[in-house]
Amino acid sequence: MTEKNIKELVDKYIQLSFSVTKKAESLIKEQIGSDLTSDQHYTLRYIYQAESCNSSELAEVFDVKKSAITAIINRMWEKGLIQRTRDEDDRRIVYLTLTDKGNELYLKAEQRIHKLVESLISQFDQSEISQFIETYEKLNDILIHSKDKQMEE
Amino acid sequence: MTEKNIKELVDKYIQLSFSVTKKAESLIKEQIGSDLTSDQHYTLRYIYQAESCNSSELAEVFDVKKSAITAIINRMWEKGLIQRTRDEDDRRIVYLTLTDKGNELYLKAEQRIHKLVESLISQFDQSEISQFIETYEKLNDILIHSKDKQMEE
DNA sequence: ACTTAACTGTTCAACTGTTTAATCATTAAC
DNA sequence: GTTAATGATTAAACAGTTGAACAGTTAAGT
């Protein structure tokens, strides 16, 4: 592969990455509706899948400071979507769990997102989309590894 | 493809999309440094590539209201990165162009991002990455089409 | 046991980015 | 020549973020 080809490939990837991310985010926002912001939905999803978690964990996953998590959790707590429970053994830790309302709101939005993504995916061959996701997964691993390597420095 | 397989594929894509986007954004932020935010860098890039553009165009590309663009341009104008020039024929239109400082700052960050992406891409077979980008491009087209279809409704 | 250090989470001030609605200046349409 | 429409801005309000300071709790060292 020539230098020029590599540069073009990289340019194209940077361009596509920006464009796809923007448009996907925009479509997802429409599925979520006005009850939740994107970040709030992502937060609901993480807590839903983890069943229970704490601020530090969320801060690491979302790659923001803990104070940012406190702020977002506060807003969702005020809306009655999230509960806080202190650990009895280590009273520093605050467990975050979804309320019934939070659960319901998450599932409603997630179903719509699921339908959206399914309709997008259905426009590809099965082999093409499988190959794509496989590479995407590999990229994800490489990105995780890149972050870890930076931590060591 | 069974129902179950589709659901798993969709779940995986949603999961990966979130994870990859977060991590890539985080790595890119590190390349940009503290002189610029991500959005400011994206703005510089768009104006750099377009050579000249106006607020409405940016608002459409970034999928935000024009007032949001005004705000971001104001901050970058205060930093001396962007110039505003009124069109002589239609004095409503304000052309946005990069100052030398803006140009320089953009290129410095973009070079680092380029190196980052190149080092990521180099960890794949050429055929794999070509196939990936091809599918990514197709996905981008589909997303653009999805937006257009919504506009018609 | 007491002191110190480390950890979990919060508060506060300052900032970026966003939307909504109102406004200004300019151009287009009739 | 008055009325639309257009391009851009302003102001208020809010979500999200950081950085620094802090409170409460637990762990470690001695």
Side-chain angles (χ1 to χ4, degrees), chain A residues 127-142:
Chain A
S127 64
E128 186 174 8
I129 198 67
S130 298
Q131 175 62 48
F132 179 78
I133 287 182
E134 198 175 302
T135 306
Y136 212 27
E137 206 166 2
K138 204 164 145 187
L139 177 59
N140 189 41
D141 291 340
I142 288 173

Side-chain angles (χ1 to χ4, degrees), chain B residues 37 39-40 64-65 67-68 72 75 89-92:
Chain B
T37 65
D39 286 315
Q40 287 173 1
V64 295
K65 297 282 173 288
S67 52
I72 203 171
R75 284 186 287 268
D89 293 336
D90 184 345
R91 295 190 49 73
R92 289 170 300 183

